Amino acid sequence: MKIFIINGGQVFAHSGGTFNNTLTEWTKSFFEKNDFELRITNINDDFDALEEVEHFKWADVIIYHTPIWWFQVPNRLKKYIDEVFSAGHQNGIYRSDGRSRNHPEINYGTGGLMQGKKYMVTSTWNAPSTAFTLPGEFFDQTAVDDGILFGFHKMNQFVGMERIDGFHFHDLEKNATAERVDKYHRDYLKHIREAFILKKQLS
């Protein structure tokens, strides 16, 4: 299986992208030890959009690692997506929006060219997990995937990819103790082992 990892941990202002660099290394190490083929892009680096399109076309699974800034992905990751997906128009990522001029009211979002491919997204937060789960807290009991990342998931559905359950890391500024990071490491490795190794063995 071919895995394309996108490290969206942008270096900007007070953020150094440190945890997403660590997370990318965790992911890289796991897949290398289990004999997967890997390619990795860091969105801080200069990139050629057409070359990045080829990574998407090559991969069986795309893994996005992204922090959440002001309830969105970082500006550099958004730029990367805008430019790469646009370069993939009628070039392996999507053909059109899926509609015909005869019936423009239906079939929107069915023009993707990446059917059979899958994606997974991790997100990293300053917000604690309880901000999403407790009554009266900031996110009104709306899960990350149903709220902030709803559009991100639709973006990947638009180009034809199928979602693998992701993993979300919370409270990484005010409460990023060594013990919590170690537990996150263990839990994340368990998550990707179940998502990739066990499902592969059962298929």
Side-chain angles (χ1 to χ4, degrees), residues 6-10 42-44 47 49 56 64-69 71-87 148-149 151-152 155-156:
I6 300 171
N7 177 1
Q10 184 175 345
N42 187 318
I43 56 87
N44 293 287
F47 63 88
F56 277 85
Y64 303 93
H65 292 317
T66 182
I68 301 297
W69 290 2
F71 317 111
Q72 302 173 64
V73 300
N75 62 76
R76 179 77 178 176
L77 178 56
K78 182 61 166 65
K79 171 184 169 71
Y80 174 90
I81 290 167
D82 288 345
E83 294 189 10
V84 174
F85 278 40
S86 293
I148 298 300
L149 288 182
F152 194 91
M155 172 193 80
N156 286 281

Side-chain angles (χ1 to χ4, degrees), residues 106-125:
I106 60 171
N107 294 324
Y108 179 80
T110 61
L113 295 172
M114 300 188 74
Q115 288 82 8
K117 296 179 184 290
K118 298 183 180 182
Y119 76 97
M120 186 183 85
V121 56
T122 71
S123 66
T124 54
W125 294 79

Side-chain angles (χ1 to χ4, degrees), residues 31-46:
F31 285 116
E32 284 180 341
K33 288 177 181 176
N34 287 284
D35 297 321
F36 287 73
E37 295 181 64
L38 283 181
R39 294 183 185 179
I40 300 173
T41 282
N42 187 318
I43 56 87
N44 293 287
D45 298 333
D46 292 335

Side-chain angles (χ1 to χ4, degrees), residues 149-183:
L149 288 182
F150 178 81
F152 194 91
H153 290 307
K154 284 297 177 183
M155 172 193 80
N156 286 281
Q157 182 183 346
F158 186 93
V159 300
M161 288 196 284
E162 180 184 344
R163 173 180 158 190
I164 296 171
D165 286 341
F167 195 98
H168 307 301
F169 299 84
H170 294 281
D171 210 357
L172 289 175
E173 289 193 27
K174 291 189 176 178
N175 197 23
T177 64
E179 291 77 14
R180 289 186 68 252
V181 171
D182 286 346
K183 185 177 187 308

Side-chain angles (χ1 to χ4, degrees), residues 94-137:
Y94 77 103
R95 180 185 65 256
S96 67
D97 70 8
R99 298 178 296 162
S100 71
R101 296 192 183 279
N102 293 331
H103 298 286
E105 68 279 2
I106 60 171
N107 294 324
Y108 179 80
T110 61
L113 295 172
M114 300 188 74
Q115 288 82 8
K117 296 179 184 290
K118 298 183 180 182
Y119 76 97
M120 186 183 85
V121 56
T122 71
S123 66
T124 54
W125 294 79
N126 171 49
S129 59
T130 48
F132 299 85
T133 59
L134 292 181
E137 287 296 314

